[in-house]
Amino acid sequence: MYDSFKNEYQLCEEIGRGRFGIVYRCFSPSSLASFAVKSIDKRHLLDDDLDRQCLDKEPKILQILSPHPNILQIHNIFDSDSRLLIVTDLCKESTLYDRIVSSGPFTEPDACSIFTQLAEALHHCHRNYICHRDIKPDNILFDTRNRVKLCDFGSAEFFGCGGEREKMSGVVGTPYYVAPEVLAGREYNEKVDVWSAGVILYIMLGGVPPFYGDSVEDTFAAVLRGNLRFPTKIFRSVSPEAKDLMRKMLCKDVSRRFSAEQVLRHPWVTSGGLSNTMSDMS
């Protein structure tokens, strides 16, 4: 396997470590382009069925979704009994989470630029009957051209094919970002991703999550209540259009919650975060 890899790429420096392995930069002499390669020792996963399932599922899902400018693309896979090498887009080390922590609240145009790319990625996933199920700032990378790259599809699930949509189940996600219907143990659809993206937008504009508590249990209770507020001290300068979009994404009634396609048609998104056409609904 390594011989096949070395025929196409030159292995360079280590650039990160994740749950499943070590990430290196690699270089392709034929294309003169740099990529990332994740090296996974499969022997470490022998006793963990869930990890093995995630490892098997993620490359398949990414291959279905590729190419898309805002989804991490797999360029090559080298597989053996003991090791798996996955060659992907090369991204910067900092995630959206890192940018939020270092920069604080974003301006609306800056937030809209990132958010629109995330919404485009989700729309592409949902059109292909794939629900990510763990949308959070940590899973939003930026490539060397500063484009958003949605990653980590280990929790993703297929929810249908050929026009037939199926409900999903199972508590999957991350505190702050998980949708209330997931926590409630109900069946759910792909709009759980829209809820999570709405939380990210709220954090980008306000600097704090919309639902939180002093413990994980308190945070989950706040999510289940779903009492969305825009404290004046924090959101005084945030536009009515942005608040309107967040209300329609962070809606407990799933039938009324926006789809990813509807998000992309909202005036705040289509104006690039500069629209002032709507009346103040705050």
Side-chain angles (χ1 to χ4, degrees):
M1 179 188 67
Y2 270 121
D3 288 340
S4 299
F5 173 81
K6 289 177 180 178
N7 286 338
E8 298 189 44
Y9 302 96
Q10 295 174 359
L11 191 65
C12 305
E13 73 277 9
E14 179 182 326
I15 56 176
R17 290 178 179 249
R19 190 173 82 178
F20 291 131
I22 304 173
V23 183
Y24 300 90
R25 184 176 69 85
C26 65
F27 177 74
S28 168
S30 61
S31 66
L32 301 179
S34 290
F35 301 91
V37 56
K38 183 186 291 186
S39 176
I40 300 160
D41 188 341
K42 295 163 80 171
R43 292 168 296 186
H44 292 164
L45 308 175
L46 290 177
D47 297 326
D48 195 321
D49 289 338
L50 184 59
D51 278 354
R52 286 205 307 276
Q53 290 172 17
C54 290
L55 199 60
D56 289 340
K57 185 190 298 181
E58 185 171 19
K60 294 175 183 176
I61 285 177
L62 285 174
Q63 286 176 318
I64 291 170
L65 295 174
S66 294
H68 187 278
N70 301 123
I71 294 175
L72 190 72
Q73 183 173 347
I74 286 183
H75 296 275
N76 223 326
I77 295 176
F78 300 88
D79 198 1
S80 73
D81 291 339
S82 62
R83 189 163 294 275
L84 176 65
L85 300 177
I86 304 174
V87 180
T88 69
D89 294 324
L90 179 65
C91 291
K92 299 178 180 179
E93 286 189 39
S94 62
T95 66
L96 178 57
Y97 176 83
D98 297 320
R99 293 192 180 192
I100 291 170
V101 170
S102 63
S103 304
F106 291 41
T107 66
E108 289 192 38
D110 286 348
C112 190
S113 174
I114 293 170
F115 175 79
T116 300
Q117 294 176 75
L118 172 60
E120 291 280 8
L122 291 182
H123 181 41
H124 183 66
C125 291
H126 297 171
R127 280 187 304 182
N128 284 277
Y129 301 97
I130 293 168
C131 182
H132 187 284
R133 298 204 301 174
D134 195 17
I135 299 296
K136 58 184 177 182
D138 315 61
N139 289 337
I140 298 171
L141 305 176
F142 299 90
D143 69 9
T144 54
R145 295 165 60 186
N146 219 32
R147 292 181 302 186
V148 163
K149 292 286 184 178
L150 180 61
C151 71
D152 198 350
F153 283 78
S155 298
E157 188 60 84
F158 294 98
F159 60 85
C161 62
E164 295 294 326
R165 292 177 180 263
E166 301 172 358
K167 294 285 189 178
M168 292 166 280
S169 61
V171 178
V172 179
T174 302
Y176 298 127
Y177 306 100
V178 66
E181 61 268 28
V182 176
L183 290 180
R186 301 196 300 267
E187 290 187 325
Y188 50 85
N189 62 23
E190 71 276 12
K191 287 185 180 181
V192 297
D193 286 346
V194 174
W195 176 282
S196 301
V199 174
I200 290 175
L201 179 57
Y202 188 104
I203 292 173
M204 283 198 291
L205 294 176
V208 295
F211 313 108
Y212 61 92
D214 294 332
S215 65
V216 172
E217 292 76 14
D218 290 344
T219 297
F220 284 164
V223 171
L224 285 166
R225 288 193 297 272
N227 187 11
L228 181 64
R229 293 175 177 166
F230 298 102
T232 303
K233 184 177 180 181
I234 298 173
F235 284 91
R236 180 182 293 108
S237 62
V238 175
S239 70
E241 294 87 353
K243 294 175 188 173
D244 179 71
L245 175 57
M246 287 184 279
R247 287 190 186 97
K248 288 171 177 172
M249 297 178 72
L250 296 170
C251 177
K252 279 188 68 177
D253 184 344
V254 179
S255 67
R256 292 173 54 233
R257 187 184 306 161
F258 264 18
S259 66
E261 183 177 11
Q262 288 174 305
V263 167
L264 289 169
R265 294 201 303 261
H266 190 275
W268 187 78
V269 172
T270 58
S271 70
L274 296 173
S275 176
N276 288 300
T277 59
M278 298 177 62
S279 61
D280 193 339
M281 300 174 64
S282 62

PDB file of all heavy atoms in Angstrom, residues 23-47:
ATOM      1  N   VAL A  23      -2.550  13.178  10.625  1.00  0.00           N
ATOM      2  CA  VAL A  23      -2.718  13.847   9.337  1.00  0.00           C
ATOM      3  C   VAL A  23      -1.397  14.482   8.924  1.00  0.00           C
ATOM      4  O   VAL A  23      -0.746  15.169   9.717  1.00  0.00           O
ATOM      5  CB  VAL A  23      -3.832  14.919   9.413  1.00  0.00           C
ATOM      6  CG1 VAL A  23      -4.035  15.563   8.038  1.00  0.00           C
ATOM      7  CG2 VAL A  23      -5.136  14.313   9.910  1.00  0.00           C
ATOM      8  N   TYR A  24      -1.009  14.233   7.684  1.00  0.00           N
ATOM      9  CA  TYR A  24       0.224  14.799   7.130  1.00  0.00           C
ATOM     10  C   TYR A  24      -0.114  15.632   5.893  1.00  0.00           C
ATOM     11  O   TYR A  24      -1.166  15.442   5.260  1.00  0.00           O
ATOM     12  CB  TYR A  24       1.184  13.682   6.694  1.00  0.00           C
ATOM     13  CG  TYR A  24       1.621  12.750   7.789  1.00  0.00           C
ATOM     14  CD1 TYR A  24       0.901  11.589   8.072  1.00  0.00           C
ATOM     15  CD2 TYR A  24       2.779  13.001   8.530  1.00  0.00           C
ATOM     16  CE1 TYR A  24       1.296  10.718   9.071  1.00  0.00           C
ATOM     17  CE2 TYR A  24       3.195  12.129   9.529  1.00  0.00           C
ATOM     18  CZ  TYR A  24       2.449  10.992   9.794  1.00  0.00           C
ATOM     19  OH  TYR A  24       2.848  10.124  10.796  1.00  0.00           O
ATOM     20  N   ARG A  25       0.783  16.530   5.563  1.00  0.00           N
ATOM     21  CA  ARG A  25       0.719  17.158   4.245  1.00  0.00           C
ATOM     22  C   ARG A  25       1.428  16.233   3.264  1.00  0.00           C
ATOM     23  O   ARG A  25       2.434  15.594   3.610  1.00  0.00           O
ATOM     24  CB  ARG A  25       1.396  18.531   4.261  1.00  0.00           C
ATOM     25  CG  ARG A  25       1.279  19.289   2.925  1.00  0.00           C
ATOM     26  CD  ARG A  25       1.877  20.679   3.019  1.00  0.00           C
ATOM     27  NE  ARG A  25       3.324  20.635   3.156  1.00  0.00           N
ATOM     28  CZ  ARG A  25       4.177  20.552   2.130  1.00  0.00           C
ATOM     29  NH1 ARG A  25       3.727  20.488   0.881  1.00  0.00           N
ATOM     30  NH2 ARG A  25       5.476  20.524   2.358  1.00  0.00           N
ATOM     31  N   CYS A  26       0.910  16.138   2.071  1.00  0.00           N
ATOM     32  CA  CYS A  26       1.595  15.377   1.029  1.00  0.00           C
ATOM     33  C   CYS A  26       1.570  16.177  -0.271  1.00  0.00           C
ATOM     34  O   CYS A  26       0.748  17.070  -0.444  1.00  0.00           O
ATOM     35  CB  CYS A  26       0.999  13.975   0.844  1.00  0.00           C
ATOM     36  SG  CYS A  26      -0.704  13.942   0.248  1.00  0.00           S
ATOM     37  N   PHE A  27       2.476  15.835  -1.155  1.00  0.00           N
ATOM     38  CA  PHE A  27       2.649  16.596  -2.391  1.00  0.00           C
ATOM     39  C   PHE A  27       2.583  15.655  -3.588  1.00  0.00           C
ATOM     40  O   PHE A  27       3.150  14.556  -3.569  1.00  0.00           O
ATOM     41  CB  PHE A  27       4.003  17.317  -2.369  1.00  0.00           C
ATOM     42  CG  PHE A  27       4.314  18.071  -3.625  1.00  0.00           C
ATOM     43  CD1 PHE A  27       3.659  19.262  -3.911  1.00  0.00           C
ATOM     44  CD2 PHE A  27       5.263  17.587  -4.514  1.00  0.00           C
ATOM     45  CE1 PHE A  27       3.944  19.965  -5.081  1.00  0.00           C
ATOM     46  CE2 PHE A  27       5.549  18.282  -5.684  1.00  0.00           C
ATOM     47  CZ  PHE A  27       4.890  19.472  -5.965  1.00  0.00           C
ATOM     48  N   SER A  28       1.848  16.098  -4.601  1.00  0.00           N
ATOM     49  CA  SER A  28       1.729  15.310  -5.826  1.00  0.00           C
ATOM     50  C   SER A  28       2.633  15.903  -6.908  1.00  0.00           C
ATOM     51  O   SER A  28       2.333  16.986  -7.429  1.00  0.00           O
ATOM     52  CB  SER A  28       0.278  15.317  -6.318  1.00  0.00           C
ATOM     53  OG  SER A  28       0.191  14.808  -7.631  1.00  0.00           O
ATOM     54  N   PRO A  29       3.729  15.236  -7.260  1.00  0.00           N
ATOM     55  CA  PRO A  29       4.617  15.769  -8.310  1.00  0.00           C
ATOM     56  C   PRO A  29       3.916  15.902  -9.660  1.00  0.00           C
ATOM     57  O   PRO A  29       4.255  16.779 -10.449  1.00  0.00           O
ATOM     58  CB  PRO A  29       5.742  14.728  -8.371  1.00  0.00           C
ATOM     59  CG  PRO A  29       5.735  14.073  -7.029  1.00  0.00           C
ATOM     60  CD  PRO A  29       4.285  14.034  -6.629  1.00  0.00           C
ATOM     61  N   SER A  30       2.943  15.044  -9.932  1.00  0.00           N
ATOM     62  CA  SER A  30       2.289  15.088 -11.246  1.00  0.00           C
ATOM     63  C   SER A  30       1.391  16.319 -11.397  1.00  0.00           C
ATOM     64  O   SER A  30       1.331  16.926 -12.468  1.00  0.00           O
ATOM     65  CB  SER A  30       1.465  13.818 -11.470  1.00  0.00           C
ATOM     66  OG  SER A  30       0.455  13.698 -10.478  1.00  0.00           O
ATOM     67  N   SER A  31       0.699  16.706 -10.318  1.00  0.00           N
ATOM     68  CA  SER A  31      -0.198  17.862 -10.398  1.00  0.00           C
ATOM     69  C   SER A  31       0.402  19.123  -9.787  1.00  0.00           C
ATOM     70  O   SER A  31      -0.182  20.207  -9.897  1.00  0.00           O
ATOM     71  CB  SER A  31      -1.518  17.549  -9.688  1.00  0.00           C
ATOM     72  OG  SER A  31      -1.310  17.375  -8.294  1.00  0.00           O
ATOM     73  N   LEU A  32       1.558  18.969  -9.105  1.00  0.00           N
ATOM     74  CA  LEU A  32       2.221  20.083  -8.400  1.00  0.00           C
ATOM     75  C   LEU A  32       1.309  20.692  -7.331  1.00  0.00           C
ATOM     76  O   LEU A  32       1.385  21.890  -7.028  1.00  0.00           O
ATOM     77  CB  LEU A  32       2.670  21.166  -9.387  1.00  0.00           C
ATOM     78  CG  LEU A  32       3.652  20.717 -10.478  1.00  0.00           C
ATOM     79  CD1 LEU A  32       4.000  21.883 -11.387  1.00  0.00           C
ATOM     80  CD2 LEU A  32       4.911  20.120  -9.855  1.00  0.00           C
ATOM     81  N   ALA A  33       0.436  19.860  -6.757  1.00  0.00           N
ATOM     82  CA  ALA A  33      -0.508  20.330  -5.732  1.00  0.00           C
ATOM     83  C   ALA A  33      -0.239  19.617  -4.414  1.00  0.00           C
ATOM     84  O   ALA A  33       0.249  18.482  -4.381  1.00  0.00           O
ATOM     85  CB  ALA A  33      -1.940  20.059  -6.175  1.00  0.00           C
ATOM     86  N   SER A  34      -0.559  20.310  -3.322  1.00  0.00           N
ATOM     87  CA  SER A  34      -0.442  19.724  -1.984  1.00  0.00           C
ATOM     88  C   SER A  34      -1.800  19.262  -1.494  1.00  0.00           C
ATOM     89  O   SER A  34      -2.828  19.885  -1.789  1.00  0.00           O
ATOM     90  CB  SER A  34       0.140  20.743  -1.005  1.00  0.00           C
ATOM     91  OG  SER A  34       1.497  20.995  -1.279  1.00  0.00           O
ATOM     92  N   PHE A  35      -1.801  18.190  -0.722  1.00  0.00           N
ATOM     93  CA  PHE A  35      -3.020  17.624  -0.160  1.00  0.00           C
ATOM     94  C   PHE A  35      -2.763  17.268   1.301  1.00  0.00           C
ATOM     95  O   PHE A  35      -1.638  17.365   1.794  1.00  0.00           O
ATOM     96  CB  PHE A  35      -3.437  16.368  -0.933  1.00  0.00           C
ATOM     97  CG  PHE A  35      -3.698  16.590  -2.389  1.00  0.00           C
ATOM     98  CD1 PHE A  35      -2.667  16.441  -3.321  1.00  0.00           C
ATOM     99  CD2 PHE A  35      -4.952  16.950  -2.829  1.00  0.00           C
ATOM    100  CE1 PHE A  35      -2.897  16.660  -4.670  1.00  0.00           C
ATOM    101  CE2 PHE A  35      -5.197  17.170  -4.185  1.00  0.00           C
ATOM    102  CZ  PHE A  35      -4.164  17.021  -5.106  1.00  0.00           C
ATOM    103  N   ALA A  36      -3.817  16.846   1.969  1.00  0.00           N
ATOM    104  CA  ALA A  36      -3.682  16.250   3.300  1.00  0.00           C
ATOM    105  C   ALA A  36      -3.883  14.750   3.165  1.00  0.00           C
ATOM    106  O   ALA A  36      -4.658  14.290   2.323  1.00  0.00           O
ATOM    107  CB  ALA A  36      -4.714  16.834   4.254  1.00  0.00           C
ATOM    108  N   VAL A  37      -3.180  13.972   3.981  1.00  0.00           N
ATOM    109  CA  VAL A  37      -3.398  12.529   4.005  1.00  0.00           C
ATOM    110  C   VAL A  37      -3.560  12.092   5.455  1.00  0.00           C
ATOM    111  O   VAL A  37      -2.719  12.400   6.300  1.00  0.00           O
ATOM    112  CB  VAL A  37      -2.257  11.750   3.302  1.00  0.00           C
ATOM    113  CG1 VAL A  37      -0.902  12.077   3.891  1.00  0.00           C
ATOM    114  CG2 VAL A  37      -2.527  10.254   3.350  1.00  0.00           C
ATOM    115  N   LYS A  38      -4.653  11.423   5.722  1.00  0.00           N
ATOM    116  CA  LYS A  38      -4.910  10.890   7.059  1.00  0.00           C
ATOM    117  C   LYS A  38      -4.455   9.442   7.084  1.00  0.00           C
ATOM    118  O   LYS A  38      -4.909   8.627   6.271  1.00  0.00           O
ATOM    119  CB  LYS A  38      -6.394  10.991   7.405  1.00  0.00           C
ATOM    120  CG  LYS A  38      -6.729  10.520   8.825  1.00  0.00           C
ATOM    121  CD  LYS A  38      -8.231  10.506   9.079  1.00  0.00           C
ATOM    122  CE  LYS A  38      -8.824  11.867   9.132  1.00  0.00           C
ATOM    123  NZ  LYS A  38     -10.255  11.839   9.531  1.00  0.00           N
ATOM    124  N   SER A  39      -3.550   9.135   8.016  1.00  0.00           N
ATOM    125  CA  SER A  39      -3.008   7.784   8.157  1.00  0.00           C
ATOM    126  C   SER A  39      -3.647   7.134   9.374  1.00  0.00           C
ATOM    127  O   SER A  39      -3.479   7.607  10.501  1.00  0.00           O
ATOM    128  CB  SER A  39      -1.492   7.835   8.308  1.00  0.00           C
ATOM    129  OG  SER A  39      -0.966   6.543   8.532  1.00  0.00           O
ATOM    130  N   ILE A  40      -4.367   6.042   9.146  1.00  0.00           N
ATOM    131  CA  ILE A  40      -5.135   5.388  10.208  1.00  0.00           C
ATOM    132  C   ILE A  40      -4.643   3.967  10.408  1.00  0.00           C
ATOM    133  O   ILE A  40      -4.623   3.166   9.463  1.00  0.00           O
ATOM    134  CB  ILE A  40      -6.639   5.377   9.846  1.00  0.00           C
ATOM    135  CG1 ILE A  40      -7.148   6.809   9.685  1.00  0.00           C
ATOM    136  CG2 ILE A  40      -7.447   4.622  10.889  1.00  0.00           C
ATOM    137  CD1 ILE A  40      -8.416   6.910   8.882  1.00  0.00           C
ATOM    138  N   ASP A  41      -4.249   3.666  11.632  1.00  0.00           N
ATOM    139  CA  ASP A  41      -3.845   2.304  11.994  1.00  0.00           C
ATOM    140  C   ASP A  41      -5.111   1.537  12.367  1.00  0.00           C
ATOM    141  O   ASP A  41      -5.682   1.722  13.437  1.00  0.00           O
ATOM    142  CB  ASP A  41      -2.856   2.344  13.163  1.00  0.00           C
ATOM    143  CG  ASP A  41      -2.258   0.971  13.455  1.00  0.00           C
ATOM    144  OD1 ASP A  41      -2.840  -0.046  13.018  1.00  0.00           O
ATOM    145  OD2 ASP A  41      -1.213   0.917  14.138  1.00  0.00           O
ATOM    146  N   LYS A  42      -5.564   0.670  11.489  1.00  0.00           N
ATOM    147  CA  LYS A  42      -6.833  -0.038  11.691  1.00  0.00           C
ATOM    148  C   LYS A  42      -6.770  -1.024  12.846  1.00  0.00           C
ATOM    149  O   LYS A  42      -7.797  -1.402  13.402  1.00  0.00           O
ATOM    150  CB  LYS A  42      -7.231  -0.747  10.386  1.00  0.00           C
ATOM    151  CG  LYS A  42      -7.526   0.223   9.260  1.00  0.00           C
ATOM    152  CD  LYS A  42      -7.515  -0.448   7.897  1.00  0.00           C
ATOM    153  CE  LYS A  42      -8.779  -1.179   7.618  1.00  0.00           C
ATOM    154  NZ  LYS A  42      -8.831  -1.654   6.202  1.00  0.00           N
ATOM    155  N   ARG A  43      -5.574  -1.417  13.238  1.00  0.00           N
ATOM    156  CA  ARG A  43      -5.438  -2.376  14.344  1.00  0.00           C
ATOM    157  C   ARG A  43      -5.914  -1.778  15.664  1.00  0.00           C
ATOM    158  O   ARG A  43      -6.318  -2.501  16.572  1.00  0.00           O
ATOM    159  CB  ARG A  43      -3.985  -2.840  14.453  1.00  0.00           C
ATOM    160  CG  ARG A  43      -3.515  -3.685  13.280  1.00  0.00           C
ATOM    161  CD  ARG A  43      -2.026  -3.876  13.293  1.00  0.00           C
ATOM    162  NE  ARG A  43      -1.321  -2.601  13.127  1.00  0.00           N
ATOM    163  CZ  ARG A  43      -0.007  -2.494  12.994  1.00  0.00           C
ATOM    164  NH1 ARG A  43       0.746  -3.588  13.010  1.00  0.00           N
ATOM    165  NH2 ARG A  43       0.562  -1.318  12.853  1.00  0.00           N
ATOM    166  N   HIS A  44      -5.877  -0.448  15.773  1.00  0.00           N
ATOM    167  CA  HIS A  44      -6.334   0.213  17.001  1.00  0.00           C
ATOM    168  C   HIS A  44      -7.853   0.239  17.112  1.00  0.00           C
ATOM    169  O   HIS A  44      -8.399   0.600  18.151  1.00  0.00           O
ATOM    170  CB  HIS A  44      -5.806   1.656  17.053  1.00  0.00           C
ATOM    171  CG  HIS A  44      -4.321   1.726  17.226  1.00  0.00           C
ATOM    172  ND1 HIS A  44      -3.593   2.885  16.978  1.00  0.00           N
ATOM    173  CD2 HIS A  44      -3.408   0.787  17.598  1.00  0.00           C
ATOM    174  CE1 HIS A  44      -2.309   2.642  17.211  1.00  0.00           C
ATOM    175  NE2 HIS A  44      -2.183   1.382  17.584  1.00  0.00           N
ATOM    176  N   LEU A  45      -8.538  -0.140  16.019  1.00  0.00           N
ATOM    177  CA  LEU A  45     -10.001  -0.070  16.006  1.00  0.00           C
ATOM    178  C   LEU A  45     -10.654  -1.433  16.124  1.00  0.00           C
ATOM    179  O   LEU A  45     -11.874  -1.547  16.039  1.00  0.00           O
ATOM    180  CB  LEU A  45     -10.465   0.595  14.702  1.00  0.00           C
ATOM    181  CG  LEU A  45      -9.831   1.942  14.367  1.00  0.00           C
ATOM    182  CD1 LEU A  45     -10.306   2.409  12.996  1.00  0.00           C
ATOM    183  CD2 LEU A  45     -10.161   2.970  15.430  1.00  0.00           C
ATOM    184  N   LEU A  46      -9.858  -2.464  16.331  1.00  0.00           N
ATOM    185  CA  LEU A  46     -10.388  -3.830  16.290  1.00  0.00           C
ATOM    186  C   LEU A  46     -11.481  -4.071  17.309  1.00  0.00           C
ATOM    187  O   LEU A  46     -12.405  -4.851  17.076  1.00  0.00           O
ATOM    188  CB  LEU A  46      -9.244  -4.836  16.504  1.00  0.00           C
ATOM    189  CG  LEU A  46      -8.245  -4.964  15.352  1.00  0.00           C
ATOM    190  CD1 LEU A  46      -7.141  -5.936  15.727  1.00  0.00           C
ATOM    191  CD2 LEU A  46      -8.946  -5.425  14.080  1.00  0.00           C
ATOM    192  N   ASP A  47     -11.399  -3.418  18.471  1.00  0.00           N
ATOM    193  CA  ASP A  47     -12.357  -3.692  19.538  1.00  0.00           C
ATOM    194  C   ASP A  47     -13.490  -2.685  19.603  1.00  0.00           C
ATOM    195  O   ASP A  47     -14.281  -2.697  20.543  1.00  0.00           O
ATOM    196  CB  ASP A  47     -11.628  -3.708  20.896  1.00  0.00           C
ATOM    197  CG  ASP A  47     -10.593  -4.817  20.969  1.00  0.00           C
ATOM    198  OD1 ASP A  47     -10.850  -5.881  20.380  1.00  0.00           O
ATOM    199  OD2 ASP A  47      -9.541  -4.604  21.609  1.00  0.00           O
TER     200      ASP A  47
END
